[in-house]
Amino acid sequence: MSGVEDLTILCFLGITKESIVDVEAMVRKVEQKIESCSQQDVELHIERIFVISQAEPRLPLQLEDAVRPDGEGEEEGRATVNQDTRLDNRVIDLRTTTSQAIFRLQSGVCQLFRDTLTKKGFVEIQTPKIISAASEGGANVFTVSYFKSSAYLAQSPQLYKQMCICADFDKVFCVGPVFRAEDSNTHRHLTEFVGLDIEMAFNYHYHEVIDSITDTMVQIFKGLRDNFQTEIQTVNKQFPSEPFKFLEPTLRLEYTEAVAMLHEAGVEMGDEDDLSTPNEKLLGRLVKEKYDTDFYVLDKYPLAVRPFYTMPDPSNPKYSNSYDMFMRGEEILSGAQRVHDAQLLSERAQHHQIDLEKIKSYIDSFRFGAPPHGGGGIGLERVCMLYLGLHNVRQTSMFPRDPKRLTP
Amino acid sequence: MEGRFSFAKLKYVFPPFQNGDVDPAVKALEARQDEILRKLYELKAAVEGLAKTVTTPDADLDVTVSSSLSSQSSSCAIFKGTTNLDALLGEDLGALRDIVINANPAQPPLTLLVLHGLLCQRYRVLSTVHVHSSVSSVPPQLLSCLGPKHADSYARHMFQLGFTLIWKDVPKLEMKFSVCNMCPIEGEANVARFLFKLLAPYPSDPALATLVDSWVDTGFYQLADGSTKERAAVLRALNSALGRGPWLSGPEFSLADIACYCCLLQNGSASSIAANVQGWMKSCENLGHFGPAKLLLK
């Protein structure tokens, strides 16, 4: 339906907003474009109208309010809708043009991820989510009751991806839910999100893994830039942001370069310190200023700040063959070459004071021939949020889960 | 893993063994062969050098001669004088010093490509080419204009300098180095001056230095960008200057020659080039540094 005048007529007839109707109408061309509609070149001259599903008269939120950019119309007393109201009434909120655009774009990201990796010879796998032991150690796992005992919800498909490599699958990826019981109430954390994970064996150097991952990301960015401009512009109307920029091939900096850049900018940190979130953001701005890219890889992290299964750098014991990737200054991927030798793995675990009994089946996977391999994983919601320049990951999660939200 | 391989091929992976050690006679033979080959190459280079003496001034500086004698001549004497990277680029913070150049693929910076080649002879340079998302695609020769990927490029910290060329939709070429301490440098002429100073200082004589600068500006603003009338005037000026000496700023090859040669190359050589200019162009080519620029124009 178009225009305020027509809605008034329908309301007069007793048909409420958001009702589903069938119409028999004459479709007529118009000379002047109808700006307020998505189909701008034709008009419907209704002869008969049937109400298929009548909406309740009082909607919990108005679509025009839900699509209004922050700050616009404030003087005239027109409201915007706050996030909790949206999330409580998600079905209606998802009808807005902005939401439709966001999730169509998200569907595009998944599609491009699958297509690019399949073309590169990767095999898609499905991994179990109910597991017997916390894979990464640490307390951030959800416990579920499992018949007479308990089990956990998987924090990541890490263990199973690696087992597939040891099972001669060479290159695998999986798309599935990831559960993190972290009591973080931030703009970028969810307790359940969609993980896009990659793992592959390499022939000469773990940079083959980095190159595969970054090329996949670049193909996703290009696919979005070239085929989803309408969606990007629609989201920008309500949430303006700078277009996403990137380089091909992807920029790869070493950790020492990042520390040098931060030192130059006046930050005090040690060579082997991890990057704090504010430092990551500052680094992102410095990299953007110098290279004009919103996406880059930081390679050769200090060994001390990485998980026990990270392969140390053979030429320098202070560092590791591990990397993080950033979009708009925020981390989207933490990856590495993995230790594929059972003996070395046990030593590294002991060094991190991890009980070897708890990870026995993990270590056992590498005892019968394991190729050198590496990988990493990204969060679908976070990648979409950062690509579009949005500020809260709940905007890119259809039915978000966080420490305070379990519905809808 | 599927595959067949013959043991005949394997045999050549391992050196011939006798009593658990390499046969000394074979070793001696290989050493003699290497020595003979080396002498042959030296002889070939010397003869080529002699041949060029006839046509080129400064043939002793001919890089094609010196480079065949030593694989990486750090004493590449094409430019005299020493440079101090720390003084020019700031304190060494223990990480790769990466120079970023944003160039428009519609106007490839030939002078900078030539300077890049010279920098690679003086320093260990990590060269990378990127395409920015503001450009949908570039022709393949622009992707390979800095030469093949260095074998050690997986270890950035092993290099003294980074040269990162980004093909981007920019109105004017720009260079960025230290975003905290340096503002960007704009324009190919100015970036060329900066890069040149990493190779050699400008002449100490201020008059000579000004002459070099003047020719650099003439090259970029009148030869490359000027009207047909301006270009013709510059060509006449080049001809008379080259009548007084082998190179534009006198006895020595300088940035002036690099810039003017590239700018001349860029807009296609005019049908009639005066004798002195032709001779000078041949001398430039003999020095062997302009390969990267000419490759791009093919």
Side-chain angles (χ1 to χ4, degrees):
Chain A
M1 293 310 306
S2 75
V4 179
E5 310 80 42
D6 302 312
L7 277 176
T8 320
I9 295 171
L10 286 184
C11 290
F12 179 73
L13 292 173
I15 303 178
T16 48
K17 267 196 201 177
E18 292 303 304
S19 299
I20 310 290
V21 294
D22 268 356
V23 299
E24 281 179 19
M26 193 70 85
V27 181
R28 294 228 170 90
K29 266 198 183 175
V30 285
E31 278 95 41
Q32 267 194 308
K33 272 194 170 177
I34 306 168
E35 296 293 329
S36 58
C37 287
S38 48
Q39 290 225 256
Q40 301 185 331
D41 50 353
V42 293
E43 246 176 10
L44 293 177
H45 291 251
I46 300 179
E47 281 156 25
R48 298 199 324 170
I49 184 165
F50 305 88
V51 175
I52 307 303
S53 169
Q54 175 95 325
E56 281 183 26
R58 281 200 65 219
L59 296 171
L61 59 94
Q62 297 299 321
L63 287 185
E64 312 90 68
D65 295 338
V67 123
R68 191 165 295 123
D70 274 332
E72 189 190 277
E74 252 170 15
E75 316 88 51
E76 296 141 46
R78 280 186 272 171
T80 51
V81 185
N82 84 27
Q83 188 162 268
D84 275 321
T85 315
R86 288 175 191 283
L87 294 178
D88 289 335
N89 302 284
R90 198 50 159 167
V91 166
I92 305 184
D93 183 51
L94 286 173
R95 294 181 191 175
T96 59
T97 44
T98 311
S99 296
Q100 290 281 315
I102 291 175
F103 292 103
R104 281 171 205 284
L105 186 132
Q106 191 168 95
S107 165
V109 173
C110 263
Q111 174 110 1
L112 288 159
F113 183 78
R114 282 206 166 90
D115 289 349
T116 309
L117 288 172
T118 307
K119 271 198 212 112
K120 288 181 190 289
F122 281 71
V123 175
E124 184 169 4
I125 60 170
Q126 309 298 336
T127 64
K129 309 303 169 201
I130 311 176
I131 58 178
S132 62
S135 44
E136 307 227 353
N140 300 335
V141 271
F142 288 112
T143 314
V144 293
S145 63
Y146 200 76
F147 302 103
K148 295 218 169 76
S149 65
S150 351
Y152 305 96
L153 293 181
Q155 285 173 300
S156 85
Q158 177 83 18
L159 166 57
Y160 298 98
K161 285 193 297 179
Q162 292 188 258
M163 286 169 78
C164 279
I165 301 299
C166 298
D168 281 355
F169 279 94
D170 199 42
K171 300 195 253 209
V172 298
F173 72 94
C174 55
V175 178
V178 171
F179 302 97
R180 301 259 165 102
E182 218 179 293
D183 197 359
S184 286
N185 296 290
T186 73
H187 71 280
R188 59 192 207 143
H189 283 97
L190 296 169
T191 48
E192 178 186 348
F193 60 91
V194 177
L196 305 174
D197 278 90
I198 300 176
E199 199 77 19
M200 61 179 265
F202 59 85
N203 299 318
Y204 300 102
H205 198 282
Y206 77 96
H207 279 184
E208 295 166 41
V209 181
I210 295 187
D211 288 345
S212 263
I213 299 178
T214 52
D215 186 59
T216 304
M217 296 306 297
V218 165
Q219 296 313 316
I220 293 177
F221 299 147
K222 278 175 154 182
L224 294 178
R225 176 194 68 185
D226 297 338
N227 302 311
F228 287 84
Q229 270 307 315
T230 319
E231 284 77 5
I232 297 172
Q233 297 310 321
T234 307
V235 176
N236 273 343
K237 259 204 279 208
Q238 184 173 1
F239 301 105
S241 75
E242 289 293 312
F244 190 83
K245 298 192 195 165
F246 54 93
L247 298 177
E248 184 178 13
T250 302
L251 177 67
R252 177 171 48 83
L253 301 176
E254 286 184 353
Y255 199 80
T256 43
E257 285 175 79
V259 173
M261 284 174 96
L262 288 170
H263 280 163
E264 247 191 338
V267 170
E268 289 185 11
M269 66 174 280
D271 287 345
E272 289 182 75
D273 288 348
D274 203 353
L275 290 175
S276 65
T277 311
N279 283 345
E280 283 177 356
K281 286 232 165 83
L282 173 57
L283 183 62
R285 283 201 293 277
L286 295 170
V287 170
K288 178 77 192 270
E289 181 55 46
K290 185 167 179 179
Y291 298 91
D292 200 23
T293 177
D294 290 309
F295 176 65
Y296 71 99
V297 186
L298 202 54
D299 188 23
K300 296 282 184 208
Y301 265 68
L303 185 61
V305 304
R306 302 306 264 190
F308 74 96
Y309 49 75
T310 309
M311 180 63 87
D313 182 349
S315 56
N316 188 336
K318 255 171 76 174
Y319 294 100
S320 61
N321 290 355
S322 70
Y323 40 88
D324 273 8
M325 299 189 190
F326 298 87
M327 281 173 70
R328 296 195 201 251
E330 293 194 33
E331 184 211 303
I332 57 149
L333 177 147
S334 205
Q337 179 187 353
R338 324 292 187 191
V339 175
H340 61 281
D341 177 81
Q343 174 65 28
L344 179 58
L345 192 55
S346 306
E347 285 167 22
R348 296 298 308 153
Q350 281 171 324
H351 182 267
H352 280 254
Q353 289 160 340
I354 295 176
D355 184 357
L356 289 182
E357 267 311 299
K358 289 225 163 83
I359 54 169
K360 184 173 183 312
S361 60
Y362 180 57
I363 298 185
D364 282 350
S365 338
F366 305 106
R367 286 174 52 210
F368 306 107
H373 61 284
I378 56 175
L380 176 63
E381 294 88 346
R382 201 184 274 191
V383 167
C384 288
M385 169 185 82
L386 291 169
Y387 183 82
L388 290 167
L390 299 171
H391 298 290
N392 197 304
V393 73
R394 291 159 189 76
Q395 292 172 287
T396 48
S397 173
M398 248 187 200
F399 303 104
R401 293 284 174 268
D402 65 34
K404 298 195 162 62
R405 179 171 288 279
L406 265 178
T407 55
Chain B
M1 214 170 80
E2 294 268 299
R4 292 164 186 274
F5 54 90
S6 70
F7 281 98
K9 281 188 194 158
L10 263 186
K11 180 167 72 182
Y12 293 104
V13 174
F14 303 99
F17 269 69
Q18 196 180 58
N19 301 331
D21 203 350
V22 183
D23 188 342
V26 175
K27 239 182 154 181
L29 199 61
E30 281 177 1
R32 269 171 57 204
Q33 179 185 38
D34 285 341
E35 184 60 25
I36 293 175
L37 280 173
R38 193 185 69 81
K39 286 198 178 135
L40 269 174
Y41 283 132
E42 267 179 60
L43 212 58
K44 176 171 180 258
V47 170
E48 275 178 5
L50 275 172
K52 282 179 182 163
T53 319
V54 182
T55 52
T56 317
D58 297 334
D60 55 333
L61 300 179
D62 191 318
V63 177
T64 52
V65 176
S66 59
S67 66
S68 58
L69 294 176
S70 60
S71 49
Q72 186 165 49
S73 53
S74 51
S75 58
C76 166
I78 183 73
F79 298 113
K80 300 190 173 75
T82 51
T83 55
N84 182 343
L85 269 188
D86 285 355
L88 293 159
L89 297 178
E91 184 199 338
D92 185 353
L93 294 167
L96 177 71
R97 290 195 270 214
D98 198 7
I99 297 175
V100 176
I101 294 180
N102 296 314
N104 196 314
Q107 290 121 32
L110 300 180
T111 310
L112 303 189
L113 293 180
V114 172
L115 288 170
H116 165 262
L118 289 166
L119 282 168
C120 289
Q121 290 173 27
R122 167 70 74 98
Y123 305 104
R124 260 178 87 79
V125 179
L126 176 65
S127 319
T128 35
V129 181
H130 298 271
V131 178
H132 191 263
S133 50
S134 57
V135 173
S136 49
S137 70
V138 298
Q141 63 263 37
L142 288 187
L143 293 174
S144 52
C145 62
L146 294 185
K149 202 171 164 186
H150 199 289
D152 292 332
S153 58
Y154 61 86
R156 287 168 69 94
H157 56 272
M158 282 171 54
F159 294 83
Q160 293 168 284
L161 263 189
F163 192 101
T164 301
L165 177 60
I166 301 178
W167 295 114
K168 187 174 166 187
D169 187 7
V170 274
K172 212 172 179 189
L173 183 140
E174 64 176 358
M175 187 203 101
K176 292 192 179 180
F177 178 62
S178 158
V179 292
C180 296
N181 300 329
M182 260 178 69
C183 63
I185 297 184
E186 267 192 18
E188 196 180 341
N190 294 326
V191 178
R193 289 182 174 101
F194 181 88
L195 292 178
F196 183 81
K197 295 210 173 109
L198 300 176
L199 290 164
Y202 259 36
S204 47
D205 173 12
L208 214 52
T210 312
L211 186 60
V212 171
D213 259 339
S214 163
W215 276 118
V216 171
D217 278 341
T218 304
F220 281 107
Y221 298 115
Q222 296 182 293
L223 205 51
D225 274 346
S227 66
T228 335
K229 236 177 126 181
E230 276 180 297
R231 282 208 293 277
V234 173
L235 283 168
R236 285 195 294 275
L238 279 174
N239 197 50
S240 62
L242 292 168
R244 294 193 287 273
W247 305 111
L248 283 175
S249 64
E252 283 179 24
F253 183 72
S254 70
L255 181 61
D257 302 288
I258 300 177
C260 286
Y261 180 89
C262 287
C263 291
L264 204 56
L265 213 59
Q266 197 132 31
N267 59 27
S269 304
S271 45
S272 56
I273 296 194
N276 291 337
V277 179
Q278 275 197 41
W280 165 78
M281 286 181 79
K282 201 80 193 33
S283 309
C284 287
E285 279 156 25
N286 279 342
L287 287 174
H289 311 305
F290 293 92
K294 300 194 88 171
L295 217 62
L296 212 60
L297 290 174
K298 281 217 173 76

